[in-house]
Amino acid sequence: MASLPYADVDSSLRALAGRAEGFGRLSVGGLHGPVYCVSTLADDGPGSLREGCRRKEPLWIVFEVSGVICLSSYLSVSSYKTIDGRGQRIKLTGKGLRLKECEHIIICNLEFEGGRGHDVDGIQIKPNSRHIWIDRCSLRDYDDGLIDITRQSTDITISRCYFTRHDKTMLIGADPSHIGDRCIRVTIHHCFFDGTRQRHPRVRFGKVHLYNNYTRNWGIYAVCASVEAQAADLEEAKTGVVRSEGDSFLNGAQACSVTGVGEECVFHPSKFYPTWTMEAPSDSLKNVLQICTGWQSICRPAEQTVIS
């Protein structure tokens, strides 16, 4: 594999902004704000992650500490924020992030593990949130989902993330009665689903583009599309419509054929964005995805103008 998508973005701190592929490509996060340094692992208070996320102005949030932040409640993220874990190793546990009625969020290089409680997701995106990029995060072992995208949230990219030790991994569109979710548009690429049981993702309504993902040792099913879902490069349909192209099915995995519908019923990503970085399925690609997804031990690029 010659290179991963956006391989150059670690050369400078803010080079991430606007570099997502797919539906979340317009997200700039906290590009136009100062840097906010997280200096404590406390759940709240001065210098905490929660304090930075609640501020209304754009911020590029970085970490001066490594360790575990135990969240006693969902951590709500306001608009125009980048939560950038490069340079440190931060694990969120207890609860997760909530992206509610916000826009332009980038979440990069964090770990999520051990979320407990009813309806507790690692990253919960609802309602009416848009222009979101989740990149190089590791997620496992939450009581509900790892990433849920519902209630008219749209224009989202999930890239190079690692999912493991979980049952209902990713839900897109929560309920057949929520017809407003027809607006949902999500791109999922270069992710590694490692022994997660189902929902890679489960889709209701909306449009989802998947490419160059590796799903290993799934339990019930890999991908499910239903209730008006339009999915490109998926494998199952029941009242949804699916196009699968160039996928590699191994060890008995099978694609469910779609009959009685025309290709014109399924969207093509080129109608929404001009390019994306895709390779044919191969052992080389599998090996790269096992190494280069999830949290990465990488340095944080230098940046001037710091506030705390």
Side-chain angles (χ1 to χ4, degrees), residues 1-302:
M1 190 171 184
S3 64
L4 284 165
Y6 58 90
D8 59 326
V9 298
D10 295 330
S11 60
S12 63
L13 187 69
R14 299 176 191 251
L16 275 172
R19 291 297 304 279
E21 291 192 354
F23 286 120
R25 68 195 181 282
L26 299 180
S27 177
V28 298
L31 174 64
H32 301 298
V35 171
Y36 172 94
C37 289
V38 176
S39 57
T40 176
L41 297 174
D43 182 28
D44 204 349
S48 68
L49 175 60
R50 192 180 296 271
E51 169 65 22
C53 288
R54 72 161 59 101
R55 293 193 184 184
K56 299 304 181 184
E57 69 271 23
L59 291 176
W60 199 283
I61 299 172
V62 300
F63 295 83
E64 296 295 335
V65 292
S66 287
V68 177
I69 299 176
C70 186
L71 301 173
S72 59
S73 61
Y74 266 118
L75 196 163
S76 295
V77 184
S78 61
S79 294
Y80 293 94
K81 299 293 184 294
T82 298
I83 306 176
D84 188 347
R86 291 176 296 175
Q88 303 290 346
R89 187 163 191 170
I90 292 292
K91 180 185 292 184
L92 302 181
T93 189
K95 306 296 180 185
L97 299 183
R98 174 172 283 162
L99 279 55
K100 179 180 179 181
E101 296 181 330
C102 60
E103 61 181 350
H104 290 284
I105 306 294
I106 298 174
I107 300 167
C108 179
N109 213 48
L110 302 176
E111 294 183 278
F112 298 78
E113 182 176 0
R116 297 293 174 255
H118 173 69
D119 195 34
V120 172
D121 305 315
I123 303 175
Q124 185 181 90
I125 306 175
K126 70 173 186 182
N128 302 313
S129 295
R130 62 180 61 238
H131 303 310
I132 293 163
W133 184 17
I134 301 168
D135 176 56
R136 286 177 286 180
C137 289
S138 297
L139 304 99
R140 68 190 75 196
D141 187 26
Y142 268 68
D143 278 352
D144 196 3
L146 293 181
I147 299 177
D148 277 14
I149 301 167
T150 62
R151 295 301 184 107
Q152 299 167 261
S153 295
T154 189
D155 294 332
I156 296 163
T157 292
I158 300 165
S159 59
R160 292 175 59 183
C161 288
Y162 176 66
F163 303 87
T164 190
R165 288 172 45 199
H166 198 76
D167 181 10
K168 298 175 181 178
T169 309
M170 190 184 308
L171 179 65
I172 300 175
D175 190 287
S177 67
H178 296 165
I179 61 174
D181 283 349
R182 289 170 177 158
C183 72
I184 289 176
R185 304 189 300 190
V186 180
T187 300
I188 303 168
H189 72 88
H190 292 87
C191 290
F192 181 22
F193 300 93
D194 185 15
T196 44
R197 198 160 176 256
Q198 59 183 314
R199 298 188 179 180
H200 310 97
R202 166 70 184 267
V203 185
R204 297 182 178 95
F205 301 108
K207 298 174 176 64
V208 180
H209 181 201
L210 296 99
Y211 58 94
N212 282 169
N213 299 299
Y214 179 26
T215 306
R216 181 175 72 179
N217 297 331
W218 46 270
I220 298 177
Y221 61 82
V223 178
C224 176
S226 64
V227 194
E228 299 184 27
Q230 297 182 54
D233 283 335
L234 304 187
E235 69 169 29
E236 181 180 347
K238 184 176 181 181
T239 71
V241 185
V242 174
R243 174 189 285 124
S244 177
E245 297 177 347
D247 294 318
S248 179
F249 299 97
L250 305 176
N251 302 323
Q254 297 181 6
C256 296
S257 60
V258 181
T259 60
V261 296
E263 278 199 1
E264 68 275 5
C265 295
V266 187
F267 82 99
H268 197 280
S270 61
K271 293 183 178 180
F272 298 92
Y273 39 89
T275 61
W276 54 93
T277 306
M278 185 169 68
E279 287 207 6
S282 65
D283 287 339
S284 174
L285 177 59
K286 286 167 55 178
N287 292 336
V288 167
L289 294 180
Q290 291 176 75
I291 296 169
C292 297
T293 55
W295 178 87
Q296 303 286 301
S297 179
I298 50 180
C299 295
R300 187 182 84 216

